Each structure stands twice: as structure tokens, then as C-alpha cells.
Amino acid sequence: MAWDEWEQLKTEAAGRQSTQMQLNRVPDDEGGGPPPSQYGDLAVGHGDLEKVGSDAHKLYSQMWDKARVAVPSSDSAASDLSGQGFALGGGLQEVSNRWEEQLRSLMDATAQIANHMHRTKKLHGDDEDFIQRQMSSIDMLDAGFDERVGDPGKKNPVYGEPKKKDD
């Protein structure tokens, strides 16, 4: 490609672009999906949290049992090779150190996931209990004012049996 042709292509490309930043996105006027109000609520049950936490804990245990096995044998092989004068021993030791560093990082991440899911389950469980207690007391109060509770013509059972006055 000749230099003049390259300069001409650059000039044409610059003329087609504006100097403002543009983001690629779907224009506002085009549909494509339901409006946000129709997406529904995000719901995560306790079973979901337990499963994620349990799987993270299992992964942590498996990494401890299976992936750490390579570290002591690699270290001893690296030491043996270095002792015999092979330069490969130092390289193997570096690989072993890096493996252990990455393994610890991954194990920490899985432990944090497991712990976070456990805490989240407990916190949301406490919140659910609190909300349920508040709502049940409101339901009880509403039932006391609702004349439709109980059989027609009978006293509202929410109030209980009337107490007899002692003279």
C-alpha cells in the first residue's frame, strides 16, 4: 500500500467519526425484552445458599486432600535434583512454590465463599424470622378488626373467651 493511499484512508476514517465517545448499546426506542418492572424479583432460597456453601466447602476439602499432594513430592524432587547439580532443580522448586501460592489463594477464595454463604443464610434467616414475627402480629391485629373472621353472628375468635368478672 502506498503512503499516499494510507493517508487518504486515515483522512476518510477520521471524517466519518465524531470526536465524541460513543458506546455500543441498544437504542432506547427499540424493545427487545420486557420492561424492568416485569422481570420479577430475584429469589434465592436457603437451599440454594446451603448448596453453594456446601459445594465450596467440598471443593476446599478436595483441594487440600488432592492438590497439596504435589507440593511435598515436588519439593523433595527439586531438592534432590539441585543436590545432584542439575539446574532443573531450581526451576522445579520455583514451579512448586508458585503452585502452592496459587493453591493457597484458591483455597482462601473457596473458604470465603463457604463462610459467606453460611453467614448470608444465617443473616437472612434472622431477617425472615423478624419479618414473619412482625407480619404475624399485624395479621393478628387485622383479624381483630376484621368482622369477616369467624362464623357469621358469632364473636370473633381472635378475642378469645370473655373473662368473667369477680364480684
Side-chain angles (χ1 to χ4, degrees):
M1 179 182 301
W3 185 257
D4 292 336
E5 186 181 357
W6 172 247
E7 290 297 323
Q8 180 185 356
L9 289 172
K10 284 185 358 183
T11 305
E12 288 173 7
R16 287 191 305 260
Q17 294 178 353
S18 71
T19 57
Q20 298 176 347
M21 181 189 301
Q22 295 179 349
L23 299 176
N24 292 337
R25 64 181 181 86
V26 176
D28 293 331
D29 58 346
E30 291 184 22
S37 62
Q38 295 179 3
Y39 290 147
D41 293 331
L42 173 64
V44 178
H46 293 290
D48 298 329
L49 297 176
E50 286 178 22
K51 183 159 178 31
V52 170
S54 174
D55 288 348
H57 187 356
K58 286 178 192 172
L59 180 60
Y60 177 88
S61 298
Q62 288 176 354
M63 282 190 289
W64 180 259
D65 294 340
K66 297 176 183 173
R68 268 194 99 253
V69 173
V71 174
S73 60
S74 297
D75 287 345
S76 94
S79 175
D80 189 33
L81 287 170
S82 293
Q84 295 179 30
F86 289 101
L88 182 62
L92 184 57
Q93 185 62 53
E94 179 64 29
V95 169
S96 177
N97 292 343
R98 185 73 172 152
W99 174 264
E100 188 167 10
E101 178 184 314
Q102 293 296 317
L103 180 62
R104 287 183 190 273
S105 176
L106 190 56
M107 288 175 70
D108 286 346
T110 56
Q112 286 179 359
I113 290 169
N115 291 339
H116 180 72
M117 291 298 108
H118 180 71
R119 279 194 316 270
T120 300
K121 178 185 162 210
K122 181 174 178 359
L123 287 172
H124 287 296
D126 292 346
D127 290 344
E128 292 260 342
D129 291 342
F130 174 76
I131 291 169
Q132 189 174 20
R133 285 193 312 269
Q134 295 299 316
M135 295 305 291
S136 67
S137 65
I138 292 171
D139 286 343
M140 184 70 121
L141 183 61
D142 283 348
F145 287 106
D146 192 354
E147 295 172 359
R148 294 171 293 173
V149 174
D151 296 329
K154 304 278 183 178
K155 289 192 173 206
N156 191 331
V158 171
Y159 295 121
E161 293 296 319
K163 295 183 181 178
K164 294 183 179 180
K165 293 184 182 179
D166 293 331
D167 290 328

